Amino acid sequence: MTSSLERYAERHARAADVVTAVALCVCTLFGARISTSESSPPDPLWPAWILVISGAAVLGSRSRPRATLAVTAAAAATLTTLGYLPSPLLLAPVMTALYWLAALTDSRTTGIYSSATVAVLVATSLAAAPLGDDFILRTVGTVLWLLLPVSLGGKSRFRRAYLESVKARAAHAERTREEEARLRVAEERMRIARELHDAVAHHMAVAHVQAGTAAHLAATQPEQTRKILADLVGTTTSALLELRATVGVLRQTADPDADPLEPTPGLDRLPELVAACESAGLTVTVITEGEAQPLSPGVDLTAYRIIQEALTNATKHAPDHAARVRLGYDSSRLLITVTNDGTAHGGTVPPVAGGGYGLMGMHERAQSIGGDLSAGPRPDGGFEVAAALPLQPRTPVDAPAGPRHEETR
């Protein structure tokens, strides 16, 4: 019932103010008839015009709380000066004005105006009547009755401020949630694009070289051609499996009967990668320094993809058709270096476009786990890709529980 009245008053503020003003006029009429043995006020109908002014002033409480308080306080002071007892009914317009002042203004303004109002009404009430049995009623009673609406109005102001802050926080949280969702979608698109590039570009580049070599040797070396074609079938099969695993992540559901995804590739598949590159005519030498350390799934995948992309570029661009892969383990890092020397006559490798998606993807992968990567031409010819990866990722992007599956990183 109370909440319904509050909602109605908020929707029909003017009508509520008119009803309040009429009710206050009635209250003051009854309050003017209250007296004690120590007080004998004049005819209560004589100051009726003051009561009307006091009640009408309440209509402006919402828009001009200071002016309303000044008018109602002046009217109440006039009545107490005439000898009327400052009862709660007589002070009802002032109490209403004090409530709206406390509810709509700041604490400093409320304190100044309410203190001045209390002082004026207590002083005029004491000046109009000698000290007697109603002394406590005219002093302490007046102070308590006037401080009550101040307290209620301050509570209303704090509650309104709290509700506004809650709404503001909710709106901010909604905007932040939408922005975070858009950011996550963008990051996921980048990871999917990077994974698709790594899964397809390497195999397609190797397949292209294998097909070209087979076409070149078909007439003169049929046995070698058949071997290359067999390797080509394996290369395209690997490409299809990796593509299926990557796309499968996008279609993965919570169905426990769904087909398992392809395991995430790691350095344990490096021999297969080297064999595929060698079938395309690239001689790969792998050197391991230090004792091999266990790698987290994310670091293992990143190391494999960096070597895969570097060897893909070497397959397409290295004039001497040779590359070296160096893996160095220390206490906290895995150092990866993939180099080629250029032509046998000292030439340099044709530069790889710095804006290519392959190099960009390698940089992004290394940075995503807290590592560093650099790639560029060597001073003495050739090209080099060097990466330093932590054995455990520095960010929580890689902490899968259970079996490892291909992830759209």
Side-chain angles (χ1 to χ4, degrees):
M1 181 64 177
T2 303
S3 59
S4 300
L5 291 175
E6 290 178 353
R7 287 195 296 269
Y8 180 85
E10 290 177 358
R11 291 194 301 266
H12 305 85
R14 178 54 59 181
D17 289 343
V18 171
V19 172
T20 301
V22 173
L24 292 176
C25 288
V26 175
C27 288
T28 52
L29 286 174
F30 281 105
R33 295 179 179 273
I34 298 176
S35 63
T36 65
S37 59
E38 300 292 336
S39 62
S40 54
D43 187 355
L45 298 180
W46 178 84
W49 59 274
I50 299 179
L51 302 179
V52 173
I53 294 176
S54 180
V58 176
L59 295 174
S61 297
R62 297 176 188 268
S63 57
R64 296 178 177 84
R66 297 174 182 83
T68 300
L69 178 60
V71 173
T72 54
T78 302
L79 293 174
T80 54
T81 302
L82 294 175
Y84 288 94
L85 184 69
S87 65
L89 293 177
L90 192 71
L91 297 176
V94 183
M95 295 171 63
T96 303
L98 282 171
Y99 170 84
W100 285 113
L101 180 76
L104 301 177
T105 62
D106 56 274
S107 300
R108 182 174 180 273
T109 301
T110 301
I112 294 174
Y113 277 78
S114 60
S115 299
T117 302
V118 170
V120 169
L121 291 180
V122 170
T124 55
S125 180
L126 291 177
L131 297 179
D133 295 337
D134 58 357
F135 174 78
I136 299 297
L137 183 60
R138 290 180 177 275
T139 55
V140 178
T142 301
V143 172
L144 293 179
W145 285 116
L146 294 180
L147 290 183
L148 177 61
V150 174
S151 175
L152 295 177
K155 181 179 179 181
S156 176
R157 182 178 75 250
F158 294 141
R159 180 175 179 273
R160 186 168 58 253
Y162 170 75
L163 293 177
E164 290 176 356
S165 67
V166 169
K167 292 179 181 179
R169 287 197 299 269
H172 176 72
E174 185 67 23
R175 290 193 302 270
T176 304
R177 186 160 48 248
E178 294 176 356
E179 293 173 0
E180 182 178 356
R182 287 195 295 268
L183 180 61
R184 288 183 179 273
V185 169
E187 291 177 348
E188 191 67 14
R189 290 179 61 184
M190 290 296 297
R191 285 195 292 268
I192 294 172
R194 187 165 58 239
E195 199 67 28
L196 287 175
H197 174 274
D198 291 343
V200 176
H202 165 73
H203 295 294
M204 292 300 99
V206 173
H208 175 75
V209 174
Q210 289 173 332
T213 304
H216 179 70
L217 300 177
T220 58
Q221 302 182 34
E223 291 297 329
Q224 183 68 15
T225 301
R226 281 194 291 272
K227 180 178 181 304
I228 294 175
L229 290 177
D231 293 337
L232 177 60
V233 172
T235 301
T236 55
T237 300
S238 298
L240 290 174
L241 288 176
E242 287 207 30
L243 183 61
R244 175 180 175 273
T246 303
V247 175
V249 173
L250 303 179
R251 304 180 61 182
Q252 187 176 13
T253 64
D255 184 6
D257 299 328
D259 295 335
L261 300 177
E262 182 77 7
T264 302
L267 292 182
D268 57 340
R269 292 178 56 178
L270 187 57
E272 300 176 19
L273 178 63
V274 171
C277 292
E278 289 180 342
S279 69
L282 180 70
T283 302
V284 181
T285 303
V286 180
I287 301 173
T288 302
E289 299 177 347
E291 184 178 356
Q293 302 289 332
L295 304 175
S296 68
V299 175
D300 201 15
L301 172 63
T302 300
Y304 177 84
R305 291 302 191 195
I306 289 176
I307 297 173
Q308 181 185 55
E309 180 62 27
L311 291 180
T312 300
N313 290 338
T315 301
K316 295 186 291 184
H317 300 296
D320 60 347
H321 300 292
R324 292 184 300 279
V325 179
R326 185 182 301 273
L327 301 176
Y329 292 89
D330 61 21
S331 59
S332 61
R333 296 188 305 169
L334 169 62
L335 305 178
I336 301 174
T337 306
V338 182
T339 59
N340 61 79
D341 293 330
T343 65
H345 303 290
T348 59
V349 179
V352 180
Y357 292 116
L359 292 181
M360 183 188 303
M362 286 193 291
H363 280 286
E364 291 174 350
R365 283 187 181 277
Q367 293 174 359
S368 69
I369 59 171
D372 299 311
L373 184 139
S374 61
R378 304 172 64 196
D380 54 350
F383 200 84
E384 178 179 273
V385 175
L389 308 178
L391 297 182
Q392 297 296 326
R394 300 173 193 168
T395 56
V397 297
D398 169 62
R404 295 190 304 166
H405 296 294
E406 183 72 285
E407 300 176 357
T408 54
R409 293 185 181 275

PDB file of all heavy atoms in Angstrom, residues 4 22 67 83 95 114 137 223 241 259 304 319 342 373 397 402:
ATOM      1  N   SER A   4       2.599   1.769  -3.306  1.00  0.00           N
ATOM      2  CA  SER A   4       1.657   2.230  -4.323  1.00  0.00           C
ATOM      3  C   SER A   4       1.416   3.724  -4.193  1.00  0.00           C
ATOM      4  O   SER A   4       1.359   4.448  -5.188  1.00  0.00           O
ATOM      5  CB  SER A   4       0.335   1.461  -4.196  1.00  0.00           C
ATOM      6  OG  SER A   4       0.537   0.077  -4.372  1.00  0.00           O
ATOM      7  N   VAL A  22      -3.546  21.315   1.420  1.00  0.00           N
ATOM      8  CA  VAL A  22      -4.866  21.383   2.066  1.00  0.00           C
ATOM      9  C   VAL A  22      -4.818  20.701   3.426  1.00  0.00           C
ATOM     10  O   VAL A  22      -5.362  21.224   4.436  1.00  0.00           O
ATOM     11  CB  VAL A  22      -5.930  20.732   1.167  1.00  0.00           C
ATOM     12  CG1 VAL A  22      -7.274  20.647   1.900  1.00  0.00           C
ATOM     13  CG2 VAL A  22      -6.080  21.526  -0.128  1.00  0.00           C
ATOM     14  N   ALA A  67      13.035  28.994  -0.307  1.00  0.00           N
ATOM     15  CA  ALA A  67      12.004  30.018  -0.207  1.00  0.00           C
ATOM     16  C   ALA A  67      10.789  29.495   0.558  1.00  0.00           C
ATOM     17  O   ALA A  67      10.188  30.220   1.374  1.00  0.00           O
ATOM     18  CB  ALA A  67      11.592  30.482  -1.602  1.00  0.00           C
ATOM     19  N   GLY A  83       1.298  34.158  20.518  1.00  0.00           N
ATOM     20  CA  GLY A  83       0.974  33.381  21.708  1.00  0.00           C
ATOM     21  C   GLY A  83       0.498  31.981  21.453  1.00  0.00           C
ATOM     22  O   GLY A  83       0.157  31.250  22.393  1.00  0.00           O
ATOM     23  N   MET A  95       7.637  21.815   9.155  1.00  0.00           N
ATOM     24  CA  MET A  95       8.227  20.476   9.137  1.00  0.00           C
ATOM     25  C   MET A  95       8.256  19.907   7.713  1.00  0.00           C
ATOM     26  O   MET A  95       9.241  19.272   7.297  1.00  0.00           O
ATOM     27  CB  MET A  95       7.440  19.560  10.070  1.00  0.00           C
ATOM     28  CG  MET A  95       7.526  19.976  11.550  1.00  0.00           C
ATOM     29  SD  MET A  95       6.384  19.059  12.628  1.00  0.00           S
ATOM     30  CE  MET A  95       7.012  17.394  12.441  1.00  0.00           C
ATOM     31  N   SER A 114      18.120  24.834   8.775  1.00  0.00           N
ATOM     32  CA  SER A 114      17.360  24.216   9.869  1.00  0.00           C
ATOM     33  C   SER A 114      17.768  24.805  11.219  1.00  0.00           C
ATOM     34  O   SER A 114      16.902  25.034  12.089  1.00  0.00           O
ATOM     35  CB  SER A 114      17.581  22.705   9.860  1.00  0.00           C
ATOM     36  OG  SER A 114      18.955  22.394  10.026  1.00  0.00           O
ATOM     37  N   LEU A 137       7.974  22.145  26.621  1.00  0.00           N
ATOM     38  CA  LEU A 137       7.238  21.940  25.371  1.00  0.00           C
ATOM     39  C   LEU A 137       7.620  22.983  24.326  1.00  0.00           C
ATOM     40  O   LEU A 137       7.728  22.690  23.138  1.00  0.00           O
ATOM     41  CB  LEU A 137       5.735  21.987  25.654  1.00  0.00           C
ATOM     42  CG  LEU A 137       4.814  21.720  24.467  1.00  0.00           C
ATOM     43  CD1 LEU A 137       5.050  20.338  23.889  1.00  0.00           C
ATOM     44  CD2 LEU A 137       3.351  21.892  24.882  1.00  0.00           C
ATOM     45  N   GLU A 223      60.195 -43.074 -60.273  1.00  0.00           N
ATOM     46  CA  GLU A 223      60.171 -43.602 -58.905  1.00  0.00           C
ATOM     47  C   GLU A 223      60.167 -42.461 -57.874  1.00  0.00           C
ATOM     48  O   GLU A 223      59.420 -42.484 -56.902  1.00  0.00           O
ATOM     49  CB  GLU A 223      61.378 -44.513 -58.680  1.00  0.00           C
ATOM     50  CG  GLU A 223      61.324 -45.827 -59.463  1.00  0.00           C
ATOM     51  CD  GLU A 223      60.150 -46.684 -59.022  1.00  0.00           C
ATOM     52  OE1 GLU A 223      59.764 -46.605 -57.822  1.00  0.00           O
ATOM     53  OE2 GLU A 223      59.585 -47.402 -59.866  1.00  0.00           O
ATOM     54  N   LEU A 241      43.124 -32.884 -41.587  1.00  0.00           N
ATOM     55  CA  LEU A 241      42.912 -33.229 -40.186  1.00  0.00           C
ATOM     56  C   LEU A 241      43.022 -31.996 -39.291  1.00  0.00           C
ATOM     57  O   LEU A 241      42.209 -31.805 -38.383  1.00  0.00           O
ATOM     58  CB  LEU A 241      43.930 -34.293 -39.757  1.00  0.00           C
ATOM     59  CG  LEU A 241      43.711 -35.704 -40.329  1.00  0.00           C
ATOM     60  CD1 LEU A 241      44.846 -36.624 -39.903  1.00  0.00           C
ATOM     61  CD2 LEU A 241      42.369 -36.268 -39.867  1.00  0.00           C
ATOM     62  N   ASP A 259      32.549 -36.788 -31.451  1.00  0.00           N
ATOM     63  CA  ASP A 259      33.868 -37.305 -31.798  1.00  0.00           C
ATOM     64  C   ASP A 259      34.945 -36.463 -31.153  1.00  0.00           C
ATOM     65  O   ASP A 259      34.863 -35.227 -31.153  1.00  0.00           O
ATOM     66  CB  ASP A 259      34.054 -37.288 -33.324  1.00  0.00           C
ATOM     67  CG  ASP A 259      33.090 -38.253 -34.011  1.00  0.00           C
ATOM     68  OD1 ASP A 259      32.665 -39.226 -33.347  1.00  0.00           O
ATOM     69  OD2 ASP A 259      32.763 -38.020 -35.187  1.00  0.00           O
ATOM     70  N   TYR A 304      55.626 -25.105 -31.473  1.00  0.00           N
ATOM     71  CA  TYR A 304      55.430 -25.861 -32.712  1.00  0.00           C
ATOM     72  C   TYR A 304      54.982 -24.950 -33.854  1.00  0.00           C
ATOM     73  O   TYR A 304      55.494 -25.046 -34.979  1.00  0.00           O
ATOM     74  CB  TYR A 304      54.395 -26.954 -32.476  1.00  0.00           C
ATOM     75  CG  TYR A 304      54.061 -27.758 -33.716  1.00  0.00           C
ATOM     76  CD1 TYR A 304      54.847 -28.837 -34.098  1.00  0.00           C
ATOM     77  CD2 TYR A 304      52.957 -27.432 -34.502  1.00  0.00           C
ATOM     78  CE1 TYR A 304      54.549 -29.575 -35.234  1.00  0.00           C
ATOM     79  CE2 TYR A 304      52.655 -28.159 -35.641  1.00  0.00           C
ATOM     80  CZ  TYR A 304      53.452 -29.234 -36.011  1.00  0.00           C
ATOM     81  OH  TYR A 304      53.165 -29.947 -37.139  1.00  0.00           O
ATOM     82  N   PRO A 319      66.784 -19.790 -50.797  1.00  0.00           N
ATOM     83  CA  PRO A 319      67.385 -20.221 -52.063  1.00  0.00           C
ATOM     84  C   PRO A 319      68.254 -21.464 -51.924  1.00  0.00           C
ATOM     85  O   PRO A 319      68.402 -22.231 -52.885  1.00  0.00           O
ATOM     86  CB  PRO A 319      68.229 -19.012 -52.482  1.00  0.00           C
ATOM     87  CG  PRO A 319      67.654 -17.853 -51.727  1.00  0.00           C
ATOM     88  CD  PRO A 319      67.194 -18.438 -50.431  1.00  0.00           C
ATOM     89  N   GLY A 342      70.859 -18.539 -47.069  1.00  0.00           N
ATOM     90  CA  GLY A 342      70.768 -17.933 -48.385  1.00  0.00           C
ATOM     91  C   GLY A 342      71.413 -18.816 -49.435  1.00  0.00           C
ATOM     92  O   GLY A 342      71.538 -20.033 -49.274  1.00  0.00           O
ATOM     93  N   LEU A 373      59.625 -12.500 -29.663  1.00  0.00           N
ATOM     94  CA  LEU A 373      60.009 -13.053 -30.953  1.00  0.00           C
ATOM     95  C   LEU A 373      60.538 -11.947 -31.845  1.00  0.00           C
ATOM     96  O   LEU A 373      60.016 -10.825 -31.835  1.00  0.00           O
ATOM     97  CB  LEU A 373      58.813 -13.742 -31.628  1.00  0.00           C
ATOM     98  CG  LEU A 373      59.098 -14.440 -32.955  1.00  0.00           C
ATOM     99  CD1 LEU A 373      58.361 -15.781 -33.041  1.00  0.00           C
ATOM    100  CD2 LEU A 373      58.708 -13.559 -34.143  1.00  0.00           C
ATOM    101  N   VAL A 397      45.999 -17.859 -20.038  1.00  0.00           N
ATOM    102  CA  VAL A 397      45.296 -18.316 -21.234  1.00  0.00           C
ATOM    103  C   VAL A 397      45.501 -19.796 -21.466  1.00  0.00           C
ATOM    104  O   VAL A 397      44.831 -20.404 -22.286  1.00  0.00           O
ATOM    105  CB  VAL A 397      45.787 -17.522 -22.465  1.00  0.00           C
ATOM    106  CG1 VAL A 397      45.458 -16.071 -22.317  1.00  0.00           C
ATOM    107  CG2 VAL A 397      47.289 -17.714 -22.670  1.00  0.00           C
ATOM    108  N   GLY A 402      42.472 -31.816 -18.084  1.00  0.00           N
ATOM    109  CA  GLY A 402      42.083 -33.005 -18.808  1.00  0.00           C
ATOM    110  C   GLY A 402      42.818 -33.136 -20.105  1.00  0.00           C
ATOM    111  O   GLY A 402      43.854 -32.514 -20.358  1.00  0.00           O
TER     112      GLY A 402
END
